[in-house]
Amino acid sequence: MRTFRNEVQYWRDRGDVIDIRSLVDRRFEAAAITAEIQATSNKIVVFHNLRGSSMSVVTNLYGSRERLRAIIGTQGHGDAPCASFNRHVDRCLSPIMPFVLRDQTPSERRSTTVSELPVLTYHEMDAGPYITSGIILVKDSASGIHNLSFHRALVVSDAELRLSIGPRHDLAAIQRNAEEMGLALEVAFLVSVSAGIFLAACTSLPRHSDELALAASIDGAPIPMRRSSALGLDVPIAADIVIEGRILPNERRPEAPFGEWMGYYVAEKQSHVLEVVNVDCAPDSLFHGLICGSNEDLRPLELTTAARIHRALAQQFDGILDVVCFPTMLCTAIRIRQAHEGHAGQVLLAAIAAHFMYSKVCIVVDEDVDVYDLGDVMWAYATRARPDKRTHVLSDIPGFFRDPHKDHWGRLALDATIPWGRGAEFARKRIPGRDRVDLEMLSGR
């Protein structure tokens, strides 16, 4: 069974973990150390000695593209991460094998409380400590379909969390249905889960699809489930920490400010209330802390969003090689093999339509450009495109849902491809043998 703990151990065995054994404060200090490591080595961080808690905290597990590619099974240089991820999506849309497994073996758990968890405070103006890696698991009673989604939770007390639920999330629709009937929605709030469950929660699938099926494909086996301790919900055994609770109907209370993924603070607002019924954890649990807007937040979002756009484009066009999203810039870059004149323009329009939220700026480049390097992408635009002919401004198109002042309305589409039929003029210079240079050998190390 794939778990959060064995994922950390896998990367520890490969020298990609930094252990912090000094006493560290949960308020700001753990986040500051994580941010510095993300900016330097970008390794996984394990805090073994957090003030006020006996549980260790892990940060930055999903903060590198290389780790994510290994997790989803990207095969070599020619296999785009989007294509790798979409193979899992294809399997979950038409599952041919059971993707959940009822495990009758008694699960060893211990009861705990929210205040005993090492919840971190990240930014100077945050309203308090936040659970930022928590995943709401809810099962539709009519269809039996499982939904997974991330929602930040402000810790108020052992009995109350305040959840930020975006209005376009599937969970929002499920909760509204319960609320219209005057019912509280029973949910499991999961922390420190398997890689498959984590990435499935990052992914927006069609409503009829079960996100645990996607988790099972990524994890490589059906997800073992158990009955939760208090509410009798189906929950993954692989979740280190499970908070059972009820989202109260017609109840909203103040939540935020909070330092969000776009780099700014969200102002105080009225958010949903999760009434905590029970908290339990596995032996030797690790707590997953995640800095919103950091690489660990953005890399999975980048992967799952790009895969969605890649899927839509590949269904319409030949020559779609790779797609990369830069979420905080609401920017999408697409690498294509040009097939005909006007190919790039068609791809631009289709890409914007495939995901309005994350394509405020959309750029198409040729196959010789590194779409993961925005410097290379903009070099292509500067050297291959006439701004007055290859820049398209699409007016009054809404995108990001939390945008009361319409700051994110409109779209910018940039065709940075080589002018059709003039490929020989734009062949990039290269130095033969550079890819074979071994600097360590030459320096005698």
Side-chain angles (χ1 to χ4, degrees), residues 359-382:
S359 294
K360 183 176 181 179
V361 179
C362 198
I363 311 170
V364 175
V365 297
D366 291 291
E367 57 190 299
D368 64 331
V369 176
D370 181 1
V371 282
Y372 295 91
D373 180 354
L374 272 178
D376 207 34
V377 169
M378 293 311 297
W379 168 84
Y381 176 71

Side-chain angles (χ1 to χ4, degrees), residues 160-354:
E160 180 182 337
L161 304 177
R162 295 185 189 166
L163 296 175
S164 176
I165 303 176
R168 296 185 190 174
H169 279 278
D170 289 345
L171 178 65
I174 295 168
Q175 191 276 331
R176 279 195 299 270
N177 289 339
E179 190 167 65
E180 287 170 1
M181 295 184 287
L183 300 175
L185 181 65
E186 294 185 347
V187 301
F189 196 37
L190 315 176
V191 182
S192 305
V193 297
S194 71
I197 294 173
F198 185 91
L199 290 176
C202 295
T203 308
S204 179
L205 294 174
R207 279 283 179 89
H208 65 276
S209 306
D210 196 306
E211 285 164 351
L212 282 183
L214 177 57
S217 179
I218 296 169
D219 282 348
I223 304 297
M225 306 287 281
R226 65 176 179 90
R227 286 287 184 186
S228 66
S229 304
L231 297 177
L233 305 173
D234 289 332
V235 297
I237 292 174
D240 269 14
I241 299 157
V242 176
I243 301 172
E244 298 174 74
R246 300 182 180 95
I247 301 177
L248 301 181
N250 304 306
E251 186 69 50
R252 307 290 187 272
R253 295 173 189 168
E255 180 266 322
F258 178 73
E260 260 278 17
W261 59 276
M262 290 184 75
Y264 302 109
Y265 288 96
V266 176
E268 181 182 288
K269 63 191 186 74
Q270 296 295 309
S271 290
H272 291 80
V273 177
L274 178 67
E275 177 188 67
V276 177
V277 175
N278 183 68
V279 186
D280 64 29
C281 61
D284 302 319
S285 288
L286 300 171
F287 185 88
H288 186 191
L290 185 151
I291 302 176
C292 285
S294 71
N295 280 347
E296 186 174 24
D297 188 19
L298 299 180
R299 291 292 177 255
L301 180 61
E302 167 191 296
L303 170 65
T304 57
T305 303
R308 173 175 164 178
I309 295 171
H310 183 281
R311 184 183 182 84
L313 296 179
Q315 289 172 346
Q316 300 180 65
F317 305 103
D318 292 328
I320 304 300
L321 301 179
D322 206 353
V323 178
V324 178
C325 291
F326 301 91
T328 54
M329 290 178 269
L330 301 177
C331 175
T332 299
I334 304 147
R335 186 165 67 95
I336 69 169
R337 182 179 296 114
Q338 288 195 70
H340 53 81
E341 188 173 6
H343 189 185
Q346 292 176 327
V347 170
L348 281 168
L349 291 176
I352 290 171

